[in-house]
């Protein structure tokens, strides 16, 4: 017999990612959760999860069932609301961002999106891109916004949406770097190069590009983007930074943008999500992120204080 308990358990397993987390949310044992899922598969005659993979994912049948489960549970809640007002079940999405998004457009997006979609709870993680990608692979995050990760595009079932290409530039304290402009890349070798560490996707992309130009990798690292800006402002060396974002407060910090030949490549930031699970919800969310993404404007500076391009 098909029951609401089975459908509720099914939805919680999908939204929380594991049977263990679902059992904690439902205040039930893992064996009870597993039993309800088995009973649901028996009652419907459907194979809901693909258990051949490391992390169980929805089959196509399971994805169709999930949409109907949401509709059924929503209808059941409306019936109950005729006499009482129970707490509304939220759709939970675990999403990861790097600090560049957190320093620019993410606060505004969260403010607007939570107002527009009160039925969706976004659990936010801010970390380095390589760490976020590993959590995404392990099923701990549903969607990540990170610089291009080449291996992600070869992974079956992963969808990618380009949000924005970010212009990068070398920066230094004013008067630290002498010589004519634009500066040949090779002339920068005598300065200390400051960069984010190995867990940074854009730092790895920049280091590969520099290697092709015959330059060595960074010899001073700091994982936090604002820490990088601080080290550069202190005259500790040069760094590759998001040009338009940092440019808006570069003059106040005494920073100089170093035009080089050749110029640094653009860095593409993508929304990555698994195509087989809650595809419509994640597609909609990724598109909404693309509409909001603007890596050029630090959220903590007002329009009056920003440096005009």
């Amino acid at each position: 017999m098909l029951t609401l308990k089975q459908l509720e358990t099914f939805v919680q397993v999908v939204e929380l990612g594991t049977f263990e987390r679902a059992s904690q949310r439902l205040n039930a044992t893992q064996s009870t959760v597993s039993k309800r899922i088995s009973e649901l598969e028996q009652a419907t005659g459907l194979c809901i999860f693909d258990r051949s993979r490391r992390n169980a994912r929805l089959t196509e049948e399971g994805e169709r069932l999930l949409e109907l489960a949401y509709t059924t549970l929503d209808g059941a809640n409306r019936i109950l609301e005729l006499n009482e007002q129970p707490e509304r079940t939220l759709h939970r999405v675990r999403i990861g961002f790097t600090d560049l998004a957190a320093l620019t457009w993410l606060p505004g997006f969260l403010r607007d999106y939570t107002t527009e979609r009160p039925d969706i709870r976004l659990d936010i993680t801010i970390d380095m891109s390589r760490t976020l990608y590993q959590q995404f692979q392990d099923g701990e995050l549903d969607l990540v916004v990170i610089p291009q990760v080449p291996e992600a595009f070869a992974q079956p079932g992963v969808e990618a949406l380009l949000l924005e290409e970010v212009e990068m530039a070398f920066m230094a304290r004013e008067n630290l770097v002498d010589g004519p402009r634009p500066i040949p890349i090779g002339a920068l070798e005598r300065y200390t190069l400051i960069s984010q560490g190995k867990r940074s996707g854009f730092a790895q992309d920049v280091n590969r590009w520099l290697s092709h130009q015959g330059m060595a990798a960074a010899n001073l690292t700091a994982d936090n983007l604002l820490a990088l800006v601080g080290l550069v402002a202190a005259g500790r060396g040069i760094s590759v930074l998001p040009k338009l974002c940092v440019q808006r407060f570069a003059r106040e910090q005494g920073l100089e943008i170093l035009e080089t030949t050749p110029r640094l490549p653009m860095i593409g930031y993508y929304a990555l999500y698994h195509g087989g699970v809650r595809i419509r919800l994640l597609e909609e969310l990724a598109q909404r992120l693309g509409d909001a993404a603007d890596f050029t404007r630090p959220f903590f500076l007002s329009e009056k204080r920003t440096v005009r391009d």
Side-chain angles (χ1 to χ4, degrees), residues 195-257:
S195 175
Q196 290 187 325
K198 294 180 179 179
R199 295 186 299 136
S200 167
F202 98 71
Q204 288 192 342
D205 287 344
V206 169
N207 284 338
R208 279 193 293 266
W209 184 85
L210 291 177
S211 177
H212 292 156
Q213 308 305 315
M215 287 186 62
N219 43 22
L220 177 59
T221 62
D223 284 347
N224 183 277
L225 183 58
L226 286 181
L228 283 181
V229 176
L231 289 170
V232 173
R236 296 298 303 274
I238 63 175
S239 184
V240 175
L241 297 168
K243 179 179 178 179
L244 296 180
C245 174
V246 178
Q247 180 175 287
R248 292 180 182 275
F249 57 96
R251 291 179 184 173
E252 293 182 7
Q253 300 299 321
L255 300 183
E256 177 187 5
I257 295 174

Side-chain angles (χ1 to χ4, degrees), residues 55-73:
N55 295 315
R57 295 183 185 173
L58 289 177
T59 61
E60 291 186 6
E61 292 178 336
E63 186 178 340
R64 290 196 296 270
L65 177 62
L66 181 63
E67 296 298 324
L68 293 174
Y70 279 135
T71 302
T72 302
L73 291 173

Side-chain angles (χ1 to χ4, degrees), residues 3-306:
T3 67
L4 292 177
K5 280 286 187 185
Q6 295 165 1
L7 293 177
E8 180 186 16
T9 300
F10 169 53
V11 167
Q12 292 298 323
V13 169
V14 173
E15 293 193 345
L16 297 179
T18 67
F19 282 40
E20 179 182 4
R21 295 193 187 102
S23 67
Q24 293 172 353
R25 171 69 64 82
L26 296 169
N27 195 25
T29 64
Q30 287 191 55
S31 60
T32 298
V33 170
S34 297
K35 183 172 182 291
R36 289 176 186 172
I37 297 299
S38 296
E39 290 173 346
L40 179 60
E41 289 183 320
Q42 292 175 4
T44 60
L46 302 175
C47 178
I48 298 173
F49 289 103
D50 179 1
R51 296 177 175 82
S52 64
R53 302 186 180 187
R54 177 182 175 187
N55 295 315
R57 295 183 185 173
L58 289 177
T59 61
E60 291 186 6
E61 292 178 336
E63 186 178 340
R64 290 196 296 270
L65 177 62
L66 181 63
E67 296 298 324
L68 293 174
Y70 279 135
T71 302
T72 302
L73 291 173
D74 184 60
N77 284 333
R78 291 184 181 182
I79 292 173
L80 294 175
E81 287 170 358
L82 293 174
N83 190 43
E84 55 182 316
Q85 296 296 323
E87 182 180 350
R88 185 178 180 84
T89 300
L90 297 178
H91 304 321
R92 179 174 180 255
V93 180
R94 302 159 301 169
I95 184 167
F97 300 88
T98 63
D99 57 355
L100 181 56
L103 291 171
T104 52
W105 56 273
L106 180 58
F109 167 79
L110 294 177
R111 180 192 62 232
D112 296 340
Y113 191 76
T114 52
T115 300
E116 296 170 10
R117 296 297 304 267
D119 58 317
I120 297 177
R121 168 185 157 187
L122 298 180
D123 287 355
I124 305 299
T125 297
I126 308 296
D127 212 323
M128 305 294 284
S129 56
R130 285 287 170 178
T131 301
L132 294 174
Y133 182 63
Q134 186 60 56
Q135 292 175 333
F136 174 72
Q137 283 186 304
D138 292 341
E140 298 172 11
L141 292 174
D142 303 306
L143 186 152
V144 291
V145 174
I146 57 177
Q148 177 178 344
V149 179
E151 56 265 35
F153 294 88
Q155 183 179 339
V158 172
E159 302 291 333
L161 176 67
L162 176 63
L163 303 187
E164 189 170 76
E165 288 191 315
V166 178
E167 184 178 4
M168 312 302 293
F170 279 98
M171 293 192 183
R173 190 178 67 184
E174 290 180 347
N175 302 319
L176 177 69
V177 178
D178 53 18
R181 303 296 194 266
I183 305 169
I185 283 290
L188 296 178
E189 283 192 303
R190 57 195 177 98
Y191 299 95
T192 298
L193 179 60
I194 312 170
S195 175
Q196 290 187 325
K198 294 180 179 179
R199 295 186 299 136
S200 167
F202 98 71
Q204 288 192 342
D205 287 344
V206 169
N207 284 338
R208 279 193 293 266
W209 184 85
L210 291 177
S211 177
H212 292 156
Q213 308 305 315
M215 287 186 62
N219 43 22
L220 177 59
T221 62
D223 284 347
N224 183 277
L225 183 58
L226 286 181
L228 283 181
V229 176
L231 289 170
V232 173
R236 296 298 303 274
I238 63 175
S239 184
V240 175
L241 297 168
K243 179 179 178 179
L244 296 180
C245 174
V246 178
Q247 180 175 287
R248 292 180 182 275
F249 57 96
R251 291 179 184 173
E252 293 182 7
Q253 300 299 321
L255 300 183
E256 177 187 5
I257 295 174
L258 306 175
E259 299 295 343
T260 62
T261 53
R263 298 177 63 179
L264 286 156
M266 305 280 278
I267 301 293
Y269 275 75
Y270 289 80
L272 301 181
Y273 55 95
H274 293 295
V277 181
R278 293 183 292 172
I279 182 68
R280 293 180 183 175
L281 174 61
L282 295 180
E283 278 183 338
E284 176 190 325
L285 178 56
Q287 190 61 56
R288 184 66 178 79
L289 290 168
D291 294 338
D294 181 357
F295 292 91
T296 69
R297 297 179 180 273
F299 79 90
F300 49 85
L301 292 183
S302 68
E303 283 297 317
K304 292 182 179 180
R305 293 180 58 202
T306 55

